[in-house]
Every structure is written in C-alpha cells, then in structure tokens.
Amino acid sequence: MSSCLMAMLAAIALSSFLFTADPKGQLVISNFKVADAKVNSRSQEVGLARFNLTADLTSLFHWNTKQLFIYVTAEYNNSDGTHNEVVIWDRIVLRKEDALVDVVVPPKYPLRDMRYSFKKSSPVRFALKYNLMPYVGALTYGEAARTEPEPFPPKVGKL
Ligand SMILES: *[C@@H]1O[C@H](CO)[C@@H](O)[C@H](O)[C@H]1NC(C)=O
Ligand SMILES: *[C@@H]1O[C@H](CO)[C@@H](O)[C@H](O)[C@H]1NC(C)=O
C-alpha cells in the first residue's frame, strides 16, 4: 500500500472520533424476576427481565458507520465476588432510520450465573451499550443508558 493511501486511511480513522455523538436512551425495567429452571437437566436459578427501551442513536450514524451493535447488559458481582456482565438482549442496526429504538422487550436471554444462584450477589444494574463498527478504523464502544442498582428479588418458584 502506498504511504499516501496509508496516511489517508489513518486520517479517516482519526476523523471519525471528531464527531461528537450524543446517543441518548432510557431503559426502564418493568419486571425482573428470579425463578428456578432446569438447564441441561440441572436445576438452577434464572433471572428474567422485561423492559422498555427507547433510544435515539441516530447521531452515531455518519459516513464512516458501517453498523451498530446495540445490547442490554445485566451487571453484578456474584457470591464469589466475580464481576459479571451478561448480555440479555441485542440487535444489529444497519441504517440510520432504524437507530430510533422504541421497544417493549420480553425476556430474551435468561440471566444465569455459574454459581447456579443469585444468592449473596450484589445488586444488579442494567445498561444499554453499543459498539460501532466503522468502515475504516477501530471499533468504538459506548453506553447510552443505565439503571440504578437494585437487589435481586426473592425467587418466585419454578418456571
Ligand atoms: C412500557 O411500555 C408499555 C407499552 O408502551 C407501557 O404500557 C408500560 O407502562 C411501560 N412500562 C414502564 C415501566 O414504563
Ligand atoms: C464488583 O466488584 C468490583 C471489584 O471486583 C467493585 O469495584 C465493584 O464496585 C463491585 N460492584 C458491585 C455492584 O458491587
């Protein structure tokens, strides 16, 4: 590759950082429950979150945006003190028109812990995150909404 082209690509990659994107979102957990479930013939606790998500991520779409991967995480420390960040919902956004998100989401991926239980876990906090894949340059990551930490609710029986 000619050094001129290299310099140009470097300039393009750098310039996408100059856009002051201001993604805004609101994440409201409408229901979060913990229940027993059988997973791979083993009984364990699962966490199920139902939430409303609205977000305006259109500012992340510019000429160097190839696609956006948006996801909702549940973050907590389990009884071992291990920090967990679990993806409970995700979506790929390819067009600016689809970057206005307004969805009511039933549980998609249940939350599970390698301790099989959420007993003695820290409170859990949910967040809307994104990673932006550009045509040229490095992936960038960000967060557009987060909830206040809330304790895991008591178990409500079997699923
Ligand atoms: C979530 O959205 C639904 C449908 O728009 C609405 O009925 C419900 O009140 C919302 N829940 C919360 C917690 O905002
Ligand atoms: C989880 O543990 C980390 C240290 O590993 C600590 O910095 C963080 O505050 C803890 N988070 C919660 C929600 O307790």
Side-chain angles (χ1 to χ4, degrees):
M1 218 187 278
S2 78
S3 58
C4 174
L5 183 56
M6 291 282 282
M8 202 179 79
L9 290 180
I12 291 172
L14 277 177
S15 68
S16 51
F17 289 107
L18 301 180
F19 286 89
T20 46
D22 184 22
K24 284 191 181 67
Q26 197 192 14
L27 176 61
V28 179
I29 306 295
S30 50
N31 184 268
F32 180 51
K33 67 178 182 191
V34 171
D36 272 325
K38 269 232 157 64
V39 183
N40 301 327
S41 75
R42 192 187 160 131
S43 176
Q44 71 175 86
E45 290 180 10
V46 295
L48 298 166
R50 195 175 278 280
F51 56 86
N52 291 10
L53 177 65
T54 51
D56 181 354
L57 305 173
T58 51
S59 62
L60 296 172
F61 274 84
H62 49 69
W63 56 277
N64 194 20
T65 302
K66 187 171 181 198
Q67 71 170 44
L68 206 57
F69 179 65
I70 63 178
Y71 52 105
V72 170
T73 57
E75 295 173 31
Y76 67 99
N77 294 346
N78 74 7
S79 57
D80 282 346
T82 308
H83 185 71
N84 288 319
E85 190 169 326
V86 185
V87 174
I88 60 167
W89 177 85
D90 56 19
R91 174 180 283 185
I92 290 170
V93 182
L94 297 171
R95 304 181 311 165
K96 187 172 187 171
E97 305 86 273
D98 299 327
L100 275 174
V101 182
D102 186 359
V103 285
V104 178
V105 184
K108 184 173 183 183
Y109 309 128
L111 191 59
R112 291 190 262 151
D113 193 83
M114 57 198 176
R115 302 297 304 157
Y116 302 111
S117 165
F118 299 106
K119 237 178 255 151
K120 300 199 182 121
S121 290
S122 74
V124 59
R125 181 177 85 75
F126 296 88
L128 169 65
K129 303 197 170 185
Y130 59 85
N131 75 56
L132 191 164
M133 185 188 290
Y135 286 106
V136 182
L139 274 178
T140 48
Y141 297 84
E143 189 174 283
R146 64 164 61 191
T147 64
E148 291 300 318
E150 55 174 306
F152 277 90
K155 197 157 61 175
V156 293
K158 280 193 195 337
L159 270 196

